[in-house]
Amino acid sequence: MYDDEATIRRILNELGDTWAVVGLSANSRRAAYGVAQVLQQYGKRIVPVHPRAETVHGERGYASLADVPFDVDVVDVFVNSALAGSVADAAVAKGAQAVWFQLGVVDVAACARTRAAGLDMVMDRCPAIEIPLLT
């Protein structure tokens, strides 16, 4: 299972509040923009990660996870499934506690690698949908 409720609850409530949002840009028409805003509303610190390294929702952006100069707790992935595995691997290398693949993003092999490395993993779900259900 890559979307069990216990893992979702643990990631949202227990693993920390710094979320690197990979694929987040200043484009307000993109899903990542709105999801990051919801995460902020629930007290999460968002860290935009995008090649353009834009500031989004008042938070400085970085071109890659490796460029983020501090620890991140969760890596929220808004890239297509073909690229998501490499982001999961970067999250493991960064020392994150969890990886969250957004709706429509599935890579079973990446999930297995990430969990084998000791991280929690969720795929094909959206934290902006899940987090209000916990309150």
Side-chain angles (χ1 to χ4, degrees):
M1 267 322 259
Y2 54 77
D3 64 349
D4 67 277
E5 297 302 319
T7 301
I8 290 169
R9 183 172 298 280
R10 186 170 45 256
I11 292 171
L12 292 172
N13 287 333
E14 299 171 20
L15 292 189
D17 292 329
T18 302
W19 285 55
V21 184
V22 178
L24 175 58
S25 71
N27 183 344
S28 62
R29 295 183 307 265
R30 304 292 298 193
Y33 188 90
V35 170
Q37 194 168 38
V38 170
L39 288 169
Q40 280 188 319
Q41 291 168 352
Y42 281 87
K44 307 298 183 189
R45 177 184 182 194
I46 58 107
V47 181
V49 177
H50 189 280
R52 289 193 298 263
E54 299 172 307
T55 296
V56 183
H57 301 307
E59 294 286 349
R60 178 182 172 198
Y62 299 89
S64 72
L65 275 175
D67 292 338
V68 178
F70 48 84
D71 292 341
V72 297
D73 302 309
V74 181
V75 176
D76 189 7
V77 181
F78 278 92
V79 301
N80 69 48
S81 296
L83 301 173
S86 64
V87 176
D89 296 339
V92 170
K94 180 72 179 159
Q97 298 179 63
V99 176
W100 190 301
F101 284 3
Q102 282 293 325
L103 292 171
V105 181
V106 175
D107 182 330
V108 175
C111 182
R113 288 193 311 274
T114 302
R115 286 189 170 175
L119 283 70
D120 279 328
M121 176 86 185
V122 172
M123 292 192 298
D124 197 24
R125 300 287 284 264
C126 179
I129 293 170
E130 302 298 331
I131 202 166
L133 302 175
L134 299 178
T135 59

